[in-house]
């Protein structure tokens, strides 16, 4: 019969497997250029947008 420690071990192994799978997601290659949204020059654009325009943080003002 499995006890609490066995269940915790299986849960930890499943969590580790999910974490490793999530870490293996490829990162999209970026290109330098002008952001299509804010017009700022950026060293890395993905789909034509810089990082602040791709994932805006509501606590920080956007650059214009």
């Amino acid at each position: 019969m499995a006890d609490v420690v066995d269940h915790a071990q299986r849960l930890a192994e499943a969590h580790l497997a999910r974490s490793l799978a999530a870490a293996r997601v490829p990162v999209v290659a970026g290109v330098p250029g002008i952001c299509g949204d804010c017009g700022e020059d950026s060293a890395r654009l993905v789909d034509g947008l810089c990082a602040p325009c791709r994932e805006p943080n509501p606590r920080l003002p956007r650059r214009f």
Side-chain angles (χ1 to χ4, degrees), residues 4-64:
V4 177
V5 175
D6 292 330
H7 290 296
Q9 181 65 31
R10 277 191 234 119
L11 180 64
E13 289 171 358
H15 175 68
L16 177 62
R18 284 191 307 271
S19 298
L20 290 174
R24 290 186 182 118
V25 176
V27 176
V28 179
V31 296
I34 305 293
C35 178
D37 194 21
C38 68
E40 291 286 323
D41 188 30
S42 177
R44 183 171 181 263
L45 299 175
V46 176
D47 294 329
L49 299 176
C50 64
C53 291
R54 284 192 317 270
E55 299 178 25
N57 186 339
R59 294 178 291 167
L60 301 175
R62 288 182 57 188
R63 300 175 305 178
F64 289 108

